[in-house]
Amino acid sequence: MKVSIRRLPNADGLPSPAYASDGAAGLDLHAALPPGQKLVLEPGARDLVPTGLSIALPKGYEAQVRPRSGLAAEHGVTVLNAPGTIDSDYRGEIKTLLINLGAQPFEIMRGMRIAQLVVAPVAHVTLVETDDLDLTARGAGGFGSTGRGGDDAP
Ligand SMILES: O=c1ccn([C@H]2C[C@H](O)[C@@H](COP(=O)(O)OP(=O)(O)OP(=O)(O)O)O2)c(=O)[nH]1
Ligand SMILES: [Mg+2]
């Protein structure tokens, strides 16, 4: 499927978002910080990091801004609102809201791969109000109800 993206001036010279392997689910997104500028995320701090890209998703699709597991595992850096939602009618710059949950300051340099973008189909539904939802074996059980009384208790 072809999807139009627009490269903004702050993405000049940066690699295009790309799948890092044949089967990768996400397109890696690069930090489009101003040249020569780095961003230091102190422990506990969050910041919006530009990607220099706008996208025109077809109706019926969304894009999710997801963390990179390497950054999370090695540095505690993740996407605060994961998965970030890019609406199909959004034409502004895609930004990534990063938070440093690690113990050390984390430096973000221009061009660094900071997150990944997963394009996925999304259902748009028509809600129909009723007092009569169909019955199921689970019923209202949730939040661990299937583990109680047994098998995965600590
Ligand atoms: O990680 C993100 C999340 C959102 N957005 C952009 C695209 C999205 O279409 C728009 C709105 O996002 P969302 O619906 O999550 O935010 P909101 O707080 O509900 O704002 P709005 O009232 O603009 O919908 O912001 C990003 O660039 N990055
Ligand atoms: Mg919204």
Side-chain angles (χ1 to χ4, degrees):
M1 184 172 95
K2 289 188 177 166
V3 174
S4 301
I5 61 163
R6 179 165 169 239
R7 187 183 271 278
L8 304 172
N10 56 342
D12 258 4
L14 288 183
S16 291
Y19 295 108
S21 69
D22 277 354
L27 293 150
D28 286 331
L29 296 172
H30 301 261
L33 296 169
Q37 188 178 310
K38 67 180 182 191
L39 178 68
V40 180
L41 269 187
E42 297 295 333
R46 64 177 188 266
D47 219 322
L48 263 185
V49 183
T51 66
L53 299 169
S54 300
I55 196 168
L57 291 165
K59 216 171 167 198
Y61 287 83
E62 62 158 340
Q64 301 174 6
V65 181
R66 297 200 197 162
R68 294 189 66 214
S69 61
L71 289 184
E74 285 163 37
H75 305 284
V77 171
T78 188
V79 175
L80 176 56
N81 56 324
T85 303
I86 309 299
D87 299 295
S88 67
D89 55 356
Y90 180 69
R91 297 293 177 269
E93 181 176 13
I94 296 175
K95 294 187 177 169
T96 60
L97 182 52
L98 296 183
I99 184 163
N100 181 1
L101 300 177
Q104 303 298 326
F106 182 73
E107 275 189 10
I108 301 170
M109 322 292 287
R110 179 175 169 82
M112 187 182 267
R113 290 180 298 156
I114 44 167
Q116 55 187 321
L117 194 72
V118 175
V119 176
V122 66
H124 241 222
V125 301
T126 302
L127 296 177
V128 181
E129 288 201 24
T130 175
D131 289 327
D132 226 0
L133 299 178
D134 67 316
L135 297 174
T136 67
R138 173 183 284 274
F143 309 97
S145 66
T146 62
R148 263 171 223 135
D151 34 8
D152 60 0

